[in-house]
Amino acid sequence: MHIGLIGGIGPAAQDYYTRQLIGHFSHAGVGLDLTTAHGDAPTLLANLAADRRAQQAAIFVRLTERLARAGAEFVAVTSIAGHFCRAEFAAASPLPVIDMIDAVARDVAARGVQKLGILGTRTVMASGFYGGITTARVFAPTDLDAVHAAYAAMATAGTVNAGQRQIFENAAEEMMAKGAEAILLGGTDLALVFDAVTAPFPVIDCAALHAAVIAQQAMGQAGPPPPAAA
């Protein structure tokens, strides 16, 4: 199936999804059919801050219409922050939407963890991943403002600097000290900072999980997601 991605929010996340999908399809020996439409990170962040769900959903719908004309058969948003309007977007989208929140919730339930720390935008952290995880307690770091500012700057630029990295690492260590069993990477651009192999604590990579489900859907597979791409 032809995959439609709404990317660019932020640019590093789009690159991460593309690499993940290429890896999955290469592993399966299947050709990848993919079209990406560019969403604007500053516009998304402004709409998120003002809770303008209808406005952001309308942007996603216009981009999805473009993807549909290109032949895409379903669509996914490469941004956890962008899922703040997921209900409004799913209701209006001209293509089926592969939702990240549901995919991550299923994975968390399968892991059986009870307490998760979370990093991402202020809204994602304060809402506990939009309330989408019901099988575990999700709690945020103490300094939401510092983490949000570092994340927004990183996502917009597509790169992470040493100061931002330190903020994320300190916040994660704080939550682990408070009993978190793993850190939920509640922002797709956090792949710039952490990965499951080198992180000094367990992480749940939401973007990688989402990409795996997208690949699974496109290849018409059922059951557990395919192996994570390197």
Side-chain angles (χ1 to χ4, degrees), residues 1-6 35 37 60-77 86 88-99 217:
M1 294 179 70
H2 187 152
I3 300 169
L5 290 183
I6 296 177
T35 300
F60 286 162
V61 167
R62 289 196 297 271
L63 293 173
T64 303
E65 290 169 347
R66 187 182 306 167
L67 291 167
R69 290 193 295 270
E73 296 168 83
F74 63 87
V75 64
V77 176
R86 67 188 186 119
E88 292 80 1
F89 174 43
S93 174
L95 294 175
V97 180
I98 305 298
D99 185 273
Q217 175 75 16

Side-chain angles (χ1 to χ4, degrees), residues 125-158:
M125 293 185 291
S127 67
F129 207 59
Y130 301 124
I133 294 174
T134 60
T135 59
R137 178 193 168 206
V138 180
F139 63 97
T142 301
D143 195 344
L144 289 179
D145 290 341
V147 175
H148 172 83
Y151 185 82
M154 178 183 70
T156 301

Side-chain angles (χ1 to χ4, degrees), residues 206-219:
C206 300
L209 286 170
H210 195 204
V213 172
I214 293 166
Q216 185 182 75
Q217 175 75 16
M219 290 187 275

Side-chain angles (χ1 to χ4, degrees), residues 46-113:
N47 284 335
L48 174 66
D51 198 28
R52 293 192 289 260
R53 302 184 188 191
Q55 290 91 326
Q56 187 61 45
I59 292 171
F60 286 162
V61 167
R62 289 196 297 271
L63 293 173
T64 303
E65 290 169 347
R66 187 182 306 167
L67 291 167
R69 290 193 295 270
E73 296 168 83
F74 63 87
V75 64
V77 176
T78 64
S79 164
I80 299 172
H83 281 68
F84 83 105
C85 62
R86 67 188 186 119
E88 292 80 1
F89 174 43
S93 174
L95 294 175
V97 180
I98 305 298
D99 185 273
M100 179 193 290
I101 309 302
D102 292 340
V104 173
R106 290 193 297 270
D107 181 81
V108 169
R111 291 171 188 255
V113 297

